[in-house]
Amino acid sequence: MQKFSIRRSLGAKMTLAITLIALIIGGTAIAFSYATYEQSLREQLGDTTTNLARTMAELVDPYSIDRYLETGEKDAEYERTLALLRDVQRNNELVYAVVTKPTERGFYYVYDTDTSGEAFQLGDFQEFYPGDFLDNKPNFLAGNDIPLIITNYEFGWLLSAIVPIKDEHGVMHGYVDVDMSMNEITRMQQVFLRRIIILLASLVVVLAAAAIYISQRMIVQPINSLSEATGNFVRRRQEGSSLERALTELSHMDTGDEVERLYKSIRQMESDIFDYIDDLTYVTAEKERIGAELSVAKTIQASMLPCIFPPFPDRHEFDIYATMTPAKEVGGDFYDFFLIDDDHLAMTIA
């Protein structure tokens, strides 16, 4: 029962500790991998969206923007350019894309790839959206590159890449705004999260099982064997059986660690116990022999002293009694008494 309790206690504690460590490491790895993937995914999608915006900007004639806004007329070139922009949008799963002309008050729309009835028409005006769009107003007017913008307005959760349309002299004539749905990023993140959880969970389970198995083989089982051997020694002692060296039942534990040192220490302790038992057995036997001899000497000494009382049963005029109790088994003291004549009693104490 004691052996089972030790095994269960030590094995359970090590299993629990390894499991907790594995869960902490696994959780940390999942969180780190997810954060890294999310950052990498956003950068990748941002680069992709920006490159698509640049591609669309190459499809638009910079000088045509002001002309279309002044005349408000759509010619064959306008329709051809709009068709090309829609092809890029459709082939790359973009939400939509627009070409605008920034002003002090807002944007004038030139192209809108939306095919629904809600699409902006040529010449429609929209004030700057509050937030990042309005904050970047100086950059829009100066024709600078615009950082990626993430918005969640009435059009949904969008990642917007905005690049200027410039002529050969570097003059800005408009901007291409390409929008990609962030819902796709969320979906990809969820897929990645599920896969990384399954992968790391499987890896953690395998590594934890291996660690538990190794700890059981290298630590728990040797300690249980030592506990069993020492328990057998104590049990045989309590049952009064003949004592045997319990650790001789074990093979040599050449583990090279604390378990081996514990084994050697217990084995040395066992050897010392048997040497002590041998010495104690010899001392006890010697003590019993001396005790027997002293008992005989005590008996002899006691028999040499007067020990019959009353010693003079026919003399009623006096009574006498004597005893000698040695400090140890025998002593050097003695006494004697006897009648010298009818009227004199001699006593000797020495």
Side-chain angles (χ1 to χ4, degrees):
M1 191 66 179
Q2 183 181 4
K3 166 189 168 184
F4 173 76
S5 176
I6 293 176
R7 178 185 298 115
R8 180 181 180 184
S9 175
L10 182 59
K13 289 179 180 179
M14 295 196 65
T15 300
L16 179 61
I18 292 174
T19 302
L20 290 177
I21 293 174
L23 289 176
I24 293 173
I25 294 176
T28 303
I30 290 174
F32 178 77
S33 300
Y34 181 77
T36 302
Y37 176 77
E38 181 182 23
Q39 180 67 23
S40 175
L41 180 62
R42 290 200 177 194
E43 292 177 357
Q44 179 181 355
L45 292 180
D47 292 342
T48 300
T49 307
T50 301
N51 290 333
L52 290 174
R54 289 172 179 167
T55 299
M56 287 185 170
E58 294 294 331
L59 299 176
V60 179
D61 180 11
Y63 299 104
S64 67
I65 293 177
D66 293 329
R67 184 176 72 249
Y68 288 134
L69 288 176
E70 290 175 0
T71 63
E73 297 180 359
K74 302 178 182 178
D75 55 13
E77 181 185 357
Y78 178 93
E79 297 296 339
R80 184 182 65 83
T81 302
L82 180 60
L84 292 175
L85 295 176
R86 286 174 174 172
D87 288 341
V88 175
Q89 173 195 345
R90 182 175 56 256
N91 294 333
N92 293 276
E93 299 181 353
L94 299 174
V95 177
Y96 63 87
V98 294
V99 175
T100 60
K101 174 75 175 184
T103 66
E104 284 288 343
R105 296 187 302 112
F107 297 97
Y108 282 100
Y109 285 85
V110 182
Y111 294 97
D112 189 342
T113 60
D114 187 4
T115 57
S116 68
E118 299 179 356
F120 289 101
Q121 300 301 316
L122 174 62
D124 286 349
F125 178 78
Q126 176 72 49
E127 293 183 354
F128 283 103
Y129 289 110
D132 291 333
F133 280 90
L134 183 59
D135 294 340
N136 279 286
K137 176 181 176 180
N139 290 325
F140 279 112
L141 298 178
N144 299 328
D145 291 335
I146 308 299
L148 292 172
I149 298 176
I150 297 178
T151 58
N152 194 6
Y153 298 142
E154 65 270 19
F155 303 108
W157 191 23
L158 302 176
L159 172 65
S160 300
I162 306 171
V163 299
I165 302 174
K166 298 181 179 181
D167 58 23
E168 66 274 13
H169 302 293
V171 179
M172 182 272 298
H173 293 265
Y175 275 87
V176 175
D177 182 348
V178 174
D179 295 328
M180 179 174 287
S181 174
M182 291 291 289
N183 294 327
E184 179 66 16
I185 295 180
T186 302
R187 185 191 67 80
M188 296 175 67
Q189 290 174 343
Q190 292 174 348
V191 172
F192 173 80
L193 183 61
R194 287 195 297 270
R195 291 178 178 176
I196 197 65
I197 287 177
I198 294 174
L199 176 62
L200 289 180
S202 302
L203 182 61
V204 166
V205 169
V206 172
L207 293 179
I212 291 172
Y213 174 78
I214 293 173
S215 66
Q216 290 286 335
R217 290 292 303 273
M218 297 183 64
I219 300 176
V220 178
Q221 290 184 4
I223 292 179
N224 287 336
S225 299
L226 290 174
S227 175
E228 181 178 2
T230 53
N232 290 337
F233 176 83
V234 174
R235 186 178 64 256
R236 286 197 295 266
R237 175 62 178 170
Q238 292 174 344
E239 293 174 353
S241 304
S242 60
L243 295 180
E244 299 176 1
R245 295 185 181 271
L247 294 185
T248 56
E249 303 171 359
L250 302 177
S251 58
H252 184 65
M253 293 185 181
D254 189 13
T255 59
D257 53 18
E258 288 80 358
V259 175
E260 181 181 355
R261 291 200 294 270
L262 176 62
Y263 165 78
K264 292 180 178 178
S265 298
I266 294 179
R267 188 144 195 170
Q268 181 62 44
M269 181 183 67
E270 182 190 53
S271 177
D272 294 342
I273 289 175
F274 274 93
D275 292 341
Y276 173 76
I277 291 174
D278 292 340
D279 294 340
L280 183 62
T281 301
Y282 172 79
V283 171
T284 302
E286 187 67 16
K287 184 177 180 180
E288 290 177 352
R289 182 187 65 81
I290 296 174
E293 294 179 355
L294 290 175
S295 177
V296 172
K298 181 178 181 180
T299 302
I300 294 174
Q301 183 184 28
S303 64
M304 294 173 60
L305 301 176
C307 56
I308 299 176
F309 300 97
F312 310 108
D314 55 340
R315 304 295 295 266
H316 302 286
E317 64 274 22
F318 67 93
D319 191 9
I320 188 171
Y321 178 80
T323 182
M324 192 274 293
T325 304
K328 297 185 180 297
E329 286 78 2
V330 293
D333 300 333
F334 69 94
Y335 67 88
D336 195 6
F337 55 87
F338 52 89
L339 286 171
I340 300 175
D341 51 32
D342 292 340
D343 297 324
H344 296 84
L345 176 67
M347 292 184 181
T348 303
I349 301 175

